[in-house]
Amino acid sequence: MELQEDKSPNLASVGLMSDDSIQEVILLAKRLRETAGGELDDSAVLAIAEATGAPADYVRLAIHALPVEKNMTPWERVRTSFLAFNNNVRRFMMSGVLASLSGLASGLGRAFDDASSLLGTLTLLFTVGAIYNCAIAKDAKAGALSGAIYGSVAFLMTTLFIFLANLAPGVAATGPEPFLILLAAAGGAAAGAAVQGIYGSQRRRLGIKDQADQRQELLQQLLELQDELRSDERFVTFLSVDIVGSTRIKAVSDELAVEFTFTEYHKFVESVVCNNNGRIHSTAGDGVTAVFESPTNAYSAGRQLLAGLFEFNAFRNRIGSPVELRGGLHTGSVLTPGEDITSVNFAHVIDIAAHMQKVSPVGCLTVSEATATYLPGGLDAIGSERVETMDVAGAVWRPRNTVTVGTQATS
């Protein structure tokens, strides 16, 4: 099937795509493949590229990188890898393979004087396959190159197998004249361009669906799949908090005191998060990530954790030194499988919240500009101190009052 020239940006532009856009490409490719019940051809690849704005080469790589089913046969695995290449590369590869097989059959037929004509029949069949391969090339140039590859490689392989056969005792076959390789290449190129042009102009008469119509149908399927994916899209805020210097604290403190204090710490964080209509998303060591439907609730939870830490240190801390926290907030959209937001693990929003936490001063909460947009007063109302990480700006919120455990001194 003839394909239009692929004018999608090259792979260098993939770096400009957001993580959510990349995830959308992969999900669309996976669901369209499931809908089609098999591998996706170039029309499907270009349709996904048009629907998402991703480079067509990246879409091919994304399809190739999809998890391979465990029950796939070796042939299916090879076919999946083959389809990861673009149309022209596939045509050239097929020309080479068919030419090698044709050369093998032709060379052996000449060397051993095949009276049954089996090898000659196989040569003819491989040639017909090469003609079809040229016909379905993207354009006349690709068809001509495919034909030239077939003609020249078939000539070379024929002479090679005749040479190898002549090494056997009693075989003295004569190969074609060397200059004929030029005629084979030229004839293959002319035939390839001709059959590609004829096939392209006669598609409708042959009952083959026009590429534009096929891509339009695929785009319609993709739009329906995108709507389905959008139904899983959630707009949420992530809060990332971590204990500062926890490794040092554990090294110099009693193990039982550490176990008790850090267990109480997680209970403290979970209580504050739940009281502000949030959920614990994940924990990693002493770090906790919480998710909220409302940026206001997330901001409130972050402030309560930091401002109320003195009470935790006064009544629930048994390690002999105060626990210090820092936190980060970021807001954005994520694609969730179903309604369980905690199943999202690799969203860009989570990464930014974690980076905001890492650049936050000790005892402070850093709020990204995306989150501050939904808070009264924006960044200026949070604080005058500014930070930036991962090209995202943020404002630092500092508790107005701090209490030192033991002295109960207030500043």
Side-chain angles (χ1 to χ4, degrees):
M1 181 179 299
E2 181 184 6
L3 296 176
Q4 296 177 1
E5 185 68 23
D6 179 7
K7 298 183 179 179
S8 301
N10 57 37
L11 285 173
S13 63
V14 173
L16 302 178
M17 296 172 61
S18 68
D19 288 356
D20 288 341
S21 297
I22 293 173
Q23 184 182 16
E24 182 182 25
V25 170
I26 294 174
L27 288 173
L28 281 175
K30 181 178 180 180
R31 296 198 180 188
L32 188 57
R33 188 170 72 175
E34 292 173 352
T35 301
E39 298 301 331
L40 303 181
D41 59 13
D42 282 313
S43 295
V45 169
L46 295 181
I48 294 174
E50 290 178 4
T52 61
D57 285 339
Y58 178 78
V59 175
R60 291 189 183 96
L61 291 176
I63 295 173
H64 181 55
L66 290 176
V68 179
E69 298 295 334
K70 294 183 178 180
N71 59 352
M72 289 183 68
T73 65
W75 165 250
E76 290 172 332
R77 294 174 186 270
V78 171
R79 182 171 180 269
T80 299
S81 300
F82 177 72
L83 290 174
F85 297 104
N86 64 42
N87 183 272
N88 284 346
V89 173
R90 295 204 301 271
R91 300 286 72 77
F92 301 154
M93 290 175 62
M94 283 303 301
S95 288
V97 171
L98 291 169
S100 299
L101 294 173
S102 177
L104 172 62
S106 177
L108 293 179
R110 288 192 179 197
F112 297 103
D113 192 19
D114 178 29
S116 67
S117 298
L118 173 62
L119 295 175
T121 302
L122 290 176
T123 302
L124 177 61
L125 292 176
F126 293 138
T127 302
V128 172
I131 292 174
Y132 175 74
N133 182 62
C134 294
I136 62 176
K138 179 185 293 186
D139 49 37
K141 180 180 179 181
L145 286 174
S146 298
I149 291 173
Y150 177 81
S152 56
V153 173
F155 183 94
L156 288 172
M157 297 306 291
T158 298
T159 58
L160 173 62
F161 289 116
I162 291 176
F163 171 79
L164 294 176
N166 283 337
L167 297 179
V171 178
T174 303
E177 294 294 331
F179 71 89
L180 293 178
I181 189 174
L182 300 177
L183 295 179
V195 296
Q196 194 282 332
I198 295 172
Y199 181 84
S201 63
Q202 300 296 319
R203 283 195 308 270
R204 290 186 181 277
R205 291 186 179 181
L206 296 173
I208 300 172
K209 188 179 297 184
D210 184 73
Q211 181 203 8
D213 295 337
Q214 185 177 19
R215 288 175 66 179
Q216 186 64 29
E217 291 180 6
L218 288 170
L219 282 172
Q220 179 63 36
Q221 292 184 47
L222 287 173
L223 289 175
E224 294 173 357
L225 289 174
Q226 283 180 318
D227 289 340
E228 183 180 347
L229 290 174
R230 289 288 179 261
S231 66
D232 293 334
E233 189 174 26
R234 303 279 292 280
F235 187 79
V236 293
T237 300
F238 284 93
L239 166 65
S240 174
V241 293
D242 194 24
I243 295 178
V244 180
S246 61
T247 302
R248 177 188 56 81
I249 292 174
K250 293 175 182 177
V252 300
S253 303
D254 178 76
E255 291 184 3
L256 293 177
V258 168
E259 183 72 21
F260 175 84
T261 300
F262 279 78
T263 299
E264 290 297 310
Y265 157 71
H266 280 282
K267 291 180 180 179
F268 165 65
V269 174
E270 184 174 6
S271 175
V272 173
V273 168
C274 291
N275 288 340
N276 286 275
N277 298 318
R279 299 173 61 185
I280 299 297
H281 173 271
S282 60
T283 58
D286 310 312
V288 179
T289 301
V291 60
F292 300 81
E293 299 285 347
S294 165
T296 303
N297 288 344
Y299 182 47
S300 176
R303 289 185 302 169
Q304 289 179 27
L305 283 173
L306 295 169
L309 192 60
F310 78 93
E311 183 178 358
F312 170 83
N313 283 320
F315 301 105
R316 303 162 75 175
N317 184 346
R318 297 292 186 270
I319 59 177
S321 59
V323 168
E324 295 180 303
L325 299 180
R326 60 187 177 196
L329 280 176
H330 186 57
T331 301
S333 61
V334 296
L335 294 175
T336 62
E339 297 296 325
D340 186 10
I341 188 65
T342 60
S343 63
V344 178
N345 295 312
F346 307 107
H348 190 56
V349 184
I350 302 176
D351 294 339
I352 296 299
H355 281 283
M356 284 289 165
Q357 175 262 121
K358 291 178 182 178
V359 300
S360 182
V362 178
C364 300
L365 176 68
T366 300
V367 182
S368 73
E369 188 173 16
T371 301
T373 302
Y374 300 93
L375 304 178
L379 287 175
D380 293 334
I382 295 170
S384 59
E385 187 176 350
R386 298 287 184 271
V387 296
E388 183 173 329
T389 180
M390 302 287 288
D391 296 325
V392 178
V396 176
W397 177 84
R398 292 180 178 272
R400 294 183 179 180
N401 298 317
T402 58
V403 177
T404 302
V405 177
T407 64
Q408 298 298 309
T410 305
S411 60

